[in-house]
């Protein structure tokens, strides 16, 4: 551990601000509470939090969504109508510690999501060792990486063999209990691994992220009080407080790490995003755009005898879903991309939905940006955005009698004054505390079936941050902190230059 002034950032992937406050009020999480009491704390907010994917990249790079062009694991490839998988490996968002390359400052970087080892940075960097995974994949984006390479072997010796713990939305109670044990064990092993790495040298920067809160929140949300009263609620004495117990385990490891930190260290606790009752809306967006005349199907033509086209025509949807479960994730993603390209008449479509599970992402078929764009930039583009927004806000949830939409954001309003090159044009948040089997528009009714990927939770647009140390005179709760301000703050605390292209500024009285 360092014996000089240092910067320590301890992260909780999907560290929910409300849960953290609740557990602290109940007498838990002493390590996090000590940072809050010695310093300040706040929620994180702003447009960078409209989606979970890419939040950590914004945290460590200081880049906005528009700058790095990362908004979902499935994105539209610019200049095409191809839907492609995207991960942190595919973006250019240099982490702030890249500025340490070739210098004397040393960094210990451990499992920061979407951050891969940077050559030339003194110290130890380990990526993707014990991370949150929604599914098993052979994607190299999820393979472990280290700098120096020998650190991978050390991790195996200290931690044990890497075990990929994934979500299982169809797990039984007994399976959930086993996953809970695995997550608790992983937190303890991860803490041991962190302490092993930190004992090897003195570091000016320590940035370590624990991911188990993310997996556990999705997996055990149905046992939480927030989910009670829904059709998906479950109750079990062991799992009723499983999410809390995972937070307690992470906090315990934070305490052990901080016990060896110097008294004059500047310490941050960062939670990326929160969680809430939120059900899939994948079947609504495209149907709404088709009903309202924005997205069009191709005209009838020659009958295709391709196997997938035959299956779609002949087999019931329930059978197609059952068959798709036998395919790999990669194979299913290829099918999604093929169906997307084939089922839209681009010559008549003015707006289309990028296939998503929860939030709705709409792209305008803009002339000069899309291959067959038909919407003129300027007045026509702006008027179209207004009509689509009004139509979506008119969607009613029959169960409540109120609007089914929570929020609609325009990329030109939150990220720039011109149509985005990569981002969707409209970002739509649904009110979905229960499964929306149908919504109603003045022009008709839209229904969706229960999808294969089905869970009663998704992410909020707020995270958590707390900080204490000699660089800060502030105390208590502060206003929401914008994500792009974090990387400049970290650079300032390390006395490193802040790149001119970063839009954020150091927080409070950080030097």
């Amino acid at each position: 551990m360092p014996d000089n002034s240092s910067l320590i950032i301890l992260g909780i992937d999907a560290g929910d601000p409300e849960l953290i406050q609740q557990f602290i009020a109940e007498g838990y999480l002493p390590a996090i509470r000590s940072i809050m009491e010695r310093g300040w704390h706040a929620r994180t907010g702003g447009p960078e939090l409209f989606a979970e994917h890419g939040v950590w990249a914004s945290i460590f790079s200081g880049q906005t969504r528009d700058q790095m062009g990362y908004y979902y694991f499935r994105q539209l490839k610019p200049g095409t109508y191809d839907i492609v998988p995207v991960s942190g490996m595919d973006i250019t968002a240099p982490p702030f510690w890249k500025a340490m390359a070739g210098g004397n400052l040393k960094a210990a970087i451990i499992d920061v999501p979407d951050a891969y080892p940077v050559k030339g940075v003194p110290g130890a960097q380990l990526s993707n060792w014990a991370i949150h995974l929604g599914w098993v994949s052979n994607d190299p984006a999820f393979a472990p990486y280290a700098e120096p390479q020998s650190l991978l072997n050390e991790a195996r010796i200290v931690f044990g063999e890497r075990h990929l713990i994934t979500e299982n939305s169809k797990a039984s109670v007994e399976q959930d209990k086993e996953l809970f044990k695995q997550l608790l064990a992983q937190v303890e092993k991860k803490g041991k691994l962190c302490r092993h790495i930190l004992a090897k040298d003195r570091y000016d920067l320590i940035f370590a992220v624990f991911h188990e809160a993310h997996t556990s929140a999705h997996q055990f949300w149905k046992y939480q009080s927030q989910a009670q009263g829904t059709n998906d609620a479950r109750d079990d004495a062991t799992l009723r407080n499983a999410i809390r117990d995972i937070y307690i385990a992470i906090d315990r490891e934070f305490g052990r790490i901080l016990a060896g930190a110097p008294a004059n260290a500047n310490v941050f606790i960062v939670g990326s995003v929160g969680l809430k009752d939120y059900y899939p809306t994948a079947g609504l967006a495209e149907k709404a755009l088709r009903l309202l005349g924005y997205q069009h199907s191709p005209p009838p033509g020659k009958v295709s005898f391709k196997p997938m086209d035959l299956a779609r025509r002949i087999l019931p949807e329930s059978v197609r879903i059952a068959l798709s479960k036998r395919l790999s994730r990669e194979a299913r993603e290829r099918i999604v991309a093929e169906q997307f390209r084939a089922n839209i008449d681009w010559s008549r479509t003015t707006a289309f939905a990028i296939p998503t599970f929860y939030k709705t992402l709409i792209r305008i078929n803009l002339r000069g940006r899309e291959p067959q764009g038909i919407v003129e930039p300027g007045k026509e583009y702006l008027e179209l955005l207004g009509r689509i927004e009004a139509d979506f806000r008119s969607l009613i949830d029959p169960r409540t009698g109120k609007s089914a939409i929570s929020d609609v954001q325009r990329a030109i309003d939150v990220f720039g004054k011109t149509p985005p090159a990569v981002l969707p044009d409209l970002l739509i948040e649904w009110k979905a505390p229960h499964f929306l089997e149908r919504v109603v528009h003045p022009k008709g009714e839209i229904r969706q079936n229960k999808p294969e990927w089905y869970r009663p939770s998704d992410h909020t647009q707020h995270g958590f941050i707390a900080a204490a140390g000699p660089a800060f005179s502030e105390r208590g709760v502060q206003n929401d902190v914008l994500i792009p301000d974090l990387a400049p703050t970290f650079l300032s605390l390390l006395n490193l230059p802040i790149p001119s292209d970063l839009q954020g500024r150091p927080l409070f009285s950080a030097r």
Side-chain angles (χ1 to χ4, degrees), residues 193-488:
L193 177 59
C194 288
R195 294 193 300 277
H196 168 81
I197 293 172
L198 299 182
K200 288 167 61 67
D201 207 337
R202 296 184 301 178
Y203 300 99
D204 302 280
L205 167 66
I206 296 168
F207 194 166
V209 178
F210 284 68
H211 295 240
E212 293 76 15
H214 195 159
T215 310
S216 66
H218 285 311
Q219 192 68 32
F220 308 130
W221 193 257
K222 54 187 172 286
Y223 301 96
Q224 280 275 107
S225 60
Q226 290 95 326
Q228 300 309 307
T230 70
N231 294 332
D232 299 276
R234 293 187 188 178
D235 194 17
D236 180 86
T238 302
L239 298 170
R240 198 173 301 149
N241 294 312
I243 296 175
R244 183 201 69 190
D245 291 345
I246 294 293
Y247 273 80
I248 291 173
I250 293 173
D251 182 83
R252 183 182 303 117
E253 298 307 324
F254 282 1
R256 290 170 174 168
I257 292 171
L258 293 174
N264 63 344
N266 291 300
V267 180
F268 284 81
I269 307 292
V270 179
S272 56
V273 289
L275 217 73
K276 63 180 177 180
D277 294 340
Y278 201 145
Y279 285 76
T281 59
L284 297 175
E286 179 184 341
K287 290 180 180 179
L289 289 174
R290 291 184 186 278
L291 170 71
L292 300 171
Y294 299 109
Q295 185 169 323
H296 292 270
S297 300
K302 293 182 180 180
V303 176
S304 170
F305 291 98
K306 292 181 179 180
M308 289 305 304
D309 293 333
L310 284 171
R312 281 194 294 272
R313 290 199 303 271
I314 297 172
L315 299 177
E317 182 178 20
S318 59
V319 176
R320 298 200 304 270
I321 291 175
L323 290 174
S324 73
K325 295 177 182 178
R326 299 177 179 272
L327 301 175
S328 68
R329 184 77 193 181
E330 290 75 10
R332 279 181 280 175
E333 286 301 308
R334 286 196 295 271
I335 292 171
V336 168
E338 290 170 4
Q339 291 178 338
F340 174 80
R341 284 193 302 268
N343 291 340
I344 298 178
D345 181 352
W346 302 106
S347 68
R348 294 189 297 146
T349 290
T350 56
F352 54 94
I354 296 169
T356 58
F357 291 127
Y358 292 88
K359 296 175 176 65
T360 288
L361 308 175
I362 295 177
R363 181 90 164 175
I364 301 302
N365 197 19
L366 189 65
R367 190 182 302 279
R369 185 182 67 180
E370 316 303 344
Q372 301 176 50
I374 63 174
V375 177
E376 294 292 341
K379 182 179 179 182
E380 185 177 348
Y381 171 79
L382 295 173
E383 289 178 347
L384 180 59
L385 292 180
R387 289 198 302 274
I388 297 173
E389 178 176 353
D391 273 326
F392 269 80
R393 290 189 183 278
S394 297
L395 294 172
I396 300 299
D397 174 6
R399 184 165 167 177
T400 64
K402 298 179 181 179
S403 173
I405 301 300
S406 173
D407 189 30
V408 180
Q409 297 183 71
R410 302 184 187 190
I412 57 170
D413 293 336
V414 294
F415 295 112
K417 298 184 182 300
T418 58
V422 178
L423 299 183
D425 295 285
L426 287 171
L427 320 167
I428 298 177
E429 179 94 2
W430 295 79
K431 293 178 185 175
H434 52 264
F435 183 64
L436 297 170
E437 293 182 1
R438 66 188 184 102
V439 294
V440 179
H441 187 274
K443 293 184 179 180
E445 182 180 84
I446 302 159
R447 289 182 173 271
Q448 68 166 346
N449 296 322
K450 186 176 179 179
E452 177 196 348
W453 180 255
Y454 180 87
R455 68 184 184 201
S457 64
D458 201 46
H459 298 287
T460 66
Q461 296 189 36
H462 290 285
F464 174 82
I465 187 167
F472 298 102
S473 60
E474 289 75 13
R475 295 292 182 270
V477 64
Q478 302 291 323
N479 294 330
D480 285 2
V481 169
L482 297 178
I483 292 294
D485 289 337
L486 297 183

Side-chain angles (χ1 to χ4, degrees), residues 9-38:
I9 308 167
L10 300 177
I12 307 176
D13 191 29
D16 184 278
E18 293 186 7
L19 288 179
I20 290 173
Q21 294 278 13
Q22 174 189 329
F23 298 152
I24 286 177
E26 292 171 351
Y28 305 106
L29 314 186
I32 299 176
R33 183 177 66 244
S34 69
I35 300 301
M36 293 170 63
E37 291 175 347
R38 289 196 295 117

